[in-house]
């Protein structure tokens, strides 16, 4: 029995940890599909991703490269400068791989990038009914600090504002 398990281990994929890197134009179709799965009709159009330089947003993807060399996009995060702060423009993980720490890894890297770039905090807007995201961000040190009226269009309602304070001394402590 152990021999069978050992043989299966040889075939099992032990490299499932995704690689994080900046989004390229080749990723856009996959990100748009992932976005649609996560946000439905509120998903961003392809054009938004293709014109990301004009928009001024750094997009980071989590990619899983298989042993056959093929890759699957598991998630992405967009982070944008907002004066002395940064904002999480969007974050989503593919449905079938949620709850495996991929969102945490993407958010952790986004926070680290913002901190290293000298931002004072990272802010975001989230729908008040999105209890999963609020729980997720709360676990990562984000606290509610207000709301924005009519954020989600005419009938979409207000957004809850959440903030994660960054501490520059955290960077210094690493060196
Ligand atoms: C929010 C989202 C990005 C989380 O990604 P994820 O990879 O599943 O998150 P993680 O596995 O890193 O979860 C970290 C923690 O967040 C919380 N969390 C995540 N999913 C949760 C759920 N369904 N219910 C309750 N808590 C949840 C838990 O505290 C979890 O820790 P645990 O698994 O040890 O209990 C993902 O659910 C998603 O893509 N949702 C749709 C898009 C969205 O709402 N984006 C945010 C709005 S901008």
């Amino acid at each position: 029995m152990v021999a069978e398990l050992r043989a299966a281990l040889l075939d099992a994929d032990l490299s499932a940890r995704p690689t994080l890197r900046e989004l390229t134009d080749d990723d856009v179709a996959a990100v748009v599909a992932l976005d649609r799965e996560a946000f439905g009709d509120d998903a961003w159009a392809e054009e938004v991703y293709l014109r990301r330089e004009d928009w001024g947003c750094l997009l980071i993807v989590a990619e899983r490269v298989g042993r056959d060399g093929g890759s699957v996009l598991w998630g992405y995060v967009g982070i944008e400068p907002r004066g002395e702060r940064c904002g999480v423009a969007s974050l989503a993980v593919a449905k079938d791989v949620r709850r495996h720490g991929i969102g945490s890894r993407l958010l952790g890297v986004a926070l680290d990038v913002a901190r290293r770039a000298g931002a004072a905090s990272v802010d975001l807007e989230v729908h008040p009914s999105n209890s999963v995201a609020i729980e997720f961000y709360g676990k990562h040190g984000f606290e509610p600090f207000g709301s924005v009226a009519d954020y989600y269009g005419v009938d979409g309602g207000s957004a809850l504002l959440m903030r994660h304070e960054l501490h520059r001394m955290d960077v210094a402590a690493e060196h």
Side-chain angles (χ1 to χ4, degrees):
M1 185 59 186
V2 173
E4 281 168 29
L5 290 175
R6 190 163 291 126
L9 177 64
L10 291 176
D11 287 336
D13 191 350
L14 303 178
S15 61
R17 192 175 157 84
T19 304
L20 267 57
R21 59 168 175 79
E22 188 173 355
L23 172 139
T24 70
D25 283 353
D26 290 343
D27 302 312
V28 169
V31 166
V32 168
L34 199 154
D35 226 10
R36 182 149 279 278
E37 179 192 65
F39 300 113
D41 289 343
D42 293 330
W44 288 333
E46 187 181 72
E47 190 67 8
V48 174
Y49 292 101
L50 290 173
R51 299 190 57 192
R52 60 194 176 279
E53 289 298 329
D54 303 340
W55 168 28
C57 183
L58 178 73
L59 286 148
I60 302 165
V61 296
E63 169 193 53
R64 151 89 161 70
V65 179
R67 282 188 292 192
D68 61 357
S71 74
V72 185
L73 212 79
W74 271 352
Y76 78 94
V77 61
I79 183 156
E80 58 190 6
R82 297 182 184 175
E84 63 163 9
R85 309 184 187 283
C86 278
V88 175
S90 191
L91 167 67
V93 170
K95 264 188 185 151
D96 57 353
V97 290
R98 284 183 194 162
R99 218 67 199 260
H100 290 286
I102 297 167
S104 296
R105 223 176 133 218
L106 281 163
L107 185 60
V109 167
L111 289 174
D112 193 37
V113 165
R115 189 166 51 98
R116 287 173 188 279
S121 70
V122 175
D123 294 358
L124 57 85
E125 298 78 25
V126 60
H127 200 285
S129 70
N130 192 347
S131 53
V132 166
I134 293 169
E135 165 93 25
F136 168 79
Y137 289 126
K139 187 163 185 181
H140 290 281
F142 283 81
E143 289 178 3
F145 71 98
S147 63
V148 196
D150 299 328
Y151 183 81
Y152 294 101
V154 185
D155 300 320
S158 62
L160 175 70
L161 286 166
M162 298 186 83
R163 172 168 293 164
H164 178 112
E165 298 287 355
L166 296 166
H167 303 286
R168 289 188 55 76
M169 67 173 108
D170 293 350
V171 177
E174 286 170 14
H175 296 290

